[in-house]
């Protein structure tokens, strides 16, 4: 619900944070495709604002995508 409301009011930061957390939940459920998509939205937001943590989060998404390639 936070994601929907954040989008509706144009709160990009909260939308991105909600995407990351939803991605983590999808990852725990084994849905790596949706997890990577949602988590990438957060990485893109961090890139757009020049956040210093962007490389760390991007590496996490890359590791998740590698798990997809490896067939998990």
């Amino acid at each position: 619900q936070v994601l929907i409301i954040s989008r509706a009011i144009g709160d990009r930061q909260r939308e991105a944070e909600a995407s990351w957390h939803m991605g983590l939940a999808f990852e725990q459920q084994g849905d790596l495709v949706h997890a990577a998509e949602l988590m990438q939205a957060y990485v893109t937001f961090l890139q757009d604002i020049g956040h210093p943590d962007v490389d760390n989060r991007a590496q996490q998404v890359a590791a998740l995508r590698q798990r997809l390639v490896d067939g998990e």
Side-chain angles (χ1 to χ4, degrees):
Q1 207 170 25
V2 172
L3 182 61
I4 294 167
I5 293 168
S6 298
R7 282 183 182 158
I9 65 172
D11 186 343
R12 270 194 79 213
Q13 180 173 350
R14 213 160 293 265
E15 177 184 349
E17 290 169 354
S19 292
W20 182 265
H21 291 290
M22 285 182 61
L24 292 175
F26 275 110
E27 180 183 12
Q28 288 178 347
Q29 294 174 356
D31 188 344
L32 303 183
V33 172
H34 286 110
E37 290 173 2
L38 287 164
M39 293 165 81
Q40 181 60 50
Y42 184 60
V43 171
T44 300
F45 172 75
L46 293 180
Q47 288 170 332
D48 289 349
I49 65 168
H51 195 282
D53 198 32
V54 67
D55 290 336
N56 180 40
R57 296 299 187 184
Q59 287 174 2
Q60 288 178 269
V61 174
L64 186 60
R65 287 195 170 122
Q66 186 59 51
R67 288 173 54 198
L68 280 166
V69 171
D70 294 342
E72 280 191 42

